Amino acid sequence: MSFTKYLENPEIYARYNKVKPYFKLRSSAYDLTTRCQLKCEGCYFFSGESSHVEDSTDVKKWRHFFITEQERGINYFNLAGAEPALVPDLLFAAWNVLPFGTIFTNGLKLIDREINYRIHISVWGDEKGDKEYRGVNCLPKQLKNYQDDNRAVFVYTINKNNIDQLPSVAHRIVSSGHRMTFNFFSNPVGEHSPLQLDECSRKRAYDTVVSLIEQYGSSILFSRYSAEVHTASESLYKQFDCPCPRVADNGKKGLGIGQRYRSYRADHTHHSSSDCCAPNTECFDCRLYAAGSLIVPSRMDLHVSSEDLFRGWLDYLDVCLCLYLNDYERDIELYR
Amino acid sequence: MNAHKKLLAIFNSTFEIVHQSKEGDVLLNTVTLDDNLAQKFDLDSLDMIEVFLRIQDEFGVEIDEDDYEKLMSLNDILAYIDACGK
Ligand code: SF4
Ligand code: SF4
């Protein structure tokens, strides 16, 4: 069997045509500020050097900067932290330049509803877990701020110790009418975090995630294939390599993302040695959802050895697009 | 169909999906053997991977991922297929 043969199947052909126009999405990442109300355990932002720069606060400069980025070919903004909700003027500056983007927030401060970007709200555990890792139980406030807000996707970061808390948190999020996805804690560079997933916790994470997909259906923005690749014994990097300039610098330049993707700090600087969606993460443990969104879709060529694998890849892309685009609706899974 | 024509047909199939218009056909008539195809057709990395996968199926060759970056023009691709003995 081969790629062209798979496309002869009408179901696969239709799905491929559905996702294909989005091959043209060209994203980059932007830290808007080094400030945050929280100090979470294992926070990638504060464990890296991006937190040491001086914030650029001039809105006009930011607007000009975003226009320059658009001229560079970028048509999708990933706006992150530390906490972007603390700089609403900069969010508007981005929104007024490009209509597509995602804001990665802790959800404690509502982002103006006029800004129609996807909003990814980080969740670290239940009442006990959130207090333990973040110092505050954030979920009640997050749910209240984003009630009936279709932009919101709740992102539960699974670590070695919070898997048992996931079902009750998922129930709370989904029964409030929200959608959720999963992130997988990955070791920050130079640390041996106690939150790092091991073989046993990866297996438990897989089982829990798959049972939530079965229980809550389309409210869970994750697929069974995503669950497999994010909890595999090998990191995403080992399974698929990575197209980001941070590793492409080591001789693997690659097409597309390797030449274009940048991860800007809050002072508008970037370095190719840290141009990836999680610059302070150890590649050999990288299982982050944002990394997966860059890595897995870019490797269609590694998903054509069987029809089922190709179906899994299409599911991954379909879920990804729904994660990052407000008006995109995902379909039923094709993976068997 | 000779290899050159087959390649153009592959690019055409890719465009029908990408643009769903006749634009691909129009552009296709103007392509030279040395044009950088990704630039000429504004193809992204996944578009190019689709083209490579279709070439593999059509010509029965294996394209190594380390070679992707070298295959930028019709001439590059024709030479590659030739070197694979097809
Ligand atoms: S909310 Fe985000 S940026 Fe702030 S400390 Fe926690 S993980 Fe870091
Ligand atoms: S941390 Fe992940 S996304 Fe970043 S370069 Fe390494 S493998 Fe790629």
Side-chain angles (χ1 to χ4, degrees):
Chain A
M1 288 293 271
S2 64
F3 172 73
T4 39
K5 277 269 172 267
Y6 306 149
L7 291 185
E8 286 173 12
N9 177 323
E11 186 183 36
I12 293 180
Y13 183 73
R15 187 66 56 87
Y16 189 68
N17 276 344
K18 182 186 175 208
V19 299
K20 180 150 179 165
Y22 301 96
F23 288 2
K24 295 273 178 247
L25 283 177
R26 295 167 181 182
S27 68
S28 273
Y30 309 86
D31 288 342
L32 300 186
T33 175
T34 54
R35 290 186 293 130
C36 183
Q37 316 94 312
L38 300 176
K39 201 86 180 145
C40 306
E41 185 182 340
C43 164
Y44 301 106
F45 186 81
F46 287 111
S47 70
E49 55 181 35
S50 6
S51 60
H52 301 142
V53 303
E54 192 168 330
D55 286 12
S56 163
T57 52
D58 184 331
V59 182
K60 271 197 195 135
K61 264 196 193 153
W62 274 100
R63 182 177 156 71
H64 177 73
F65 170 72
F66 286 132
I67 291 171
T68 317
E69 281 297 281
Q70 189 187 32
E71 286 165 357
R72 189 168 69 82
I74 297 304
N75 56 20
Y76 193 95
F77 290 155
N78 287 306
L79 305 175
E83 178 44 55
L86 299 180
V87 284
D89 291 349
L90 304 188
L91 293 175
F92 270 108
W95 167 245
N96 289 330
V97 172
L98 258 191
F100 303 110
T102 288
I103 302 169
F104 299 83
T105 174
N106 60 32
L108 296 180
K109 184 168 186 275
L110 176 67
I111 290 163
D112 196 307
R113 287 180 194 243
E114 204 183 303
I115 298 173
N116 194 25
Y117 283 165
R118 262 286 191 239
I119 311 275
H120 285 196
I121 301 164
S122 56
V123 183
W124 285 49
D126 64 7
E127 196 171 327
K128 183 175 144 273
D130 239 13
K131 270 197 186 137
E132 183 183 340
Y133 305 123
R134 318 189 88 172
V136 200
N137 177 21
C138 301
L139 194 58
K141 182 94 186 183
Q142 294 168 325
L143 289 172
K144 188 162 172 265
N145 280 345
Y146 287 93
Q147 197 178 0
D148 300 324
D149 193 328
N150 204 34
R151 302 171 301 168
V153 176
F154 286 75
V155 184
Y156 189 102
T157 295
I158 296 175
N159 68 45
K160 188 178 170 186
N161 303 324
N162 71 358
I163 300 167
D164 295 341
Q165 302 169 23
L166 177 51
S168 67
V169 175
H171 176 74
R172 206 151 163 216
I173 291 170
V174 173
S175 60
S176 305
H178 285 295
R179 290 183 281 190
M180 75 181 296
T181 192
F182 310 106
N183 187 28
F184 294 82
F185 186 87
S186 308
N187 207 35
V189 171
E191 290 183 27
H192 289 287
S193 171
L195 304 182
Q196 192 178 357
L197 294 156
D198 56 15
E199 195 185 332
C200 173
S201 52
R202 282 198 305 272
K203 166 91 180 66
R204 280 198 300 129
Y206 174 83
D207 291 342
T208 309
V209 164
V210 169
S211 80
L212 292 173
I213 292 172
E214 281 162 7
Q215 194 176 350
Y216 297 117
S218 61
S219 298
I220 302 294
L221 296 183
F222 218 65
S223 69
R224 282 169 302 142
Y225 182 65
S226 320
E228 273 179 27
V229 299
H230 282 268
T231 61
S233 58
E234 295 193 322
S235 69
L236 293 169
Y237 180 60
K238 279 200 130 187
Q239 291 176 79
F240 304 109
D241 210 334
C242 176
C244 293
R246 176 178 163 198
V247 284
D249 268 1
N250 299 333
K252 301 181 211 107
K253 200 162 165 25
L255 301 157
I257 297 169
Q259 294 161 358
R260 185 183 61 238
Y261 191 89
R262 292 182 186 166
S263 182
Y264 284 98
R265 300 157 175 187
D267 62 353
H268 301 169
T269 61
H270 82 101
H271 299 283
S272 59
S273 59
S274 55
D275 279 333
C276 96
C277 57
N280 310 314
T281 305
E282 193 185 297
C283 295
F284 287 99
D285 193 46
C286 178
R287 291 184 173 76
L288 299 173
Y289 82 116
S293 309
L294 284 178
I295 294 173
V296 181
S298 75
R299 297 317 307 263
M300 174 161 67
D301 52 340
L302 296 184
H303 289 86
V304 290
S305 57
S306 76
E307 184 183 308
D308 213 27
L309 206 53
F310 191 56
R311 286 168 176 269
W313 181 80
L314 287 169
D315 285 347
Y316 198 103
L317 221 77
D318 198 36
V319 169
C320 253
L321 291 167
C322 189
L323 263 182
Y324 291 97
L325 295 168
N326 280 332
D327 298 326
Y328 186 95
E329 285 304 326
R330 70 179 284 206
D331 268 302
I332 50 154
E333 288 190 30
L334 298 176
Y335 191 50
R336 295 181 291 216
Chain B
M1 220 194 288
N2 67 25
H4 183 171
K5 283 216 167 110
K6 274 190 195 168
L7 271 184
L8 287 177
I10 285 172
F11 274 89
N12 198 26
S13 326
T14 311
F15 281 127
E16 275 176 10
I17 301 174
V18 176
H19 298 294
Q20 297 190 332
S21 78
K22 287 264 179 246
E23 198 191 353
D25 292 312
V26 173
L27 277 173
L28 217 51
N29 293 332
T30 67
V31 72
T32 71
L33 285 168
D34 291 315
D35 275 340
N36 180 311
L37 297 160
Q39 276 172 15
K40 173 128 188 153
F41 297 126
D42 189 28
L43 295 180
D44 221 319
S45 48
L46 272 175
D47 296 323
M48 282 308 283
I49 286 175
E50 174 178 340
V51 168
F52 296 147
L53 292 174
R54 286 181 185 272
I55 289 170
Q56 290 192 154
D57 289 355
E58 179 66 39
F59 292 92
V61 295
E62 282 264 336
I63 301 180
D64 192 292
E65 64 168 291
D66 291 338
D67 295 329
Y68 289 170
E69 283 171 71
K70 298 178 204 154
L71 304 178
M72 286 300 149
S73 69
L74 287 175
N75 260 345
D76 297 337
I77 299 171
L78 288 167
Y80 192 88
I81 294 168
D82 215 34
C84 292
K86 298 282 164 177

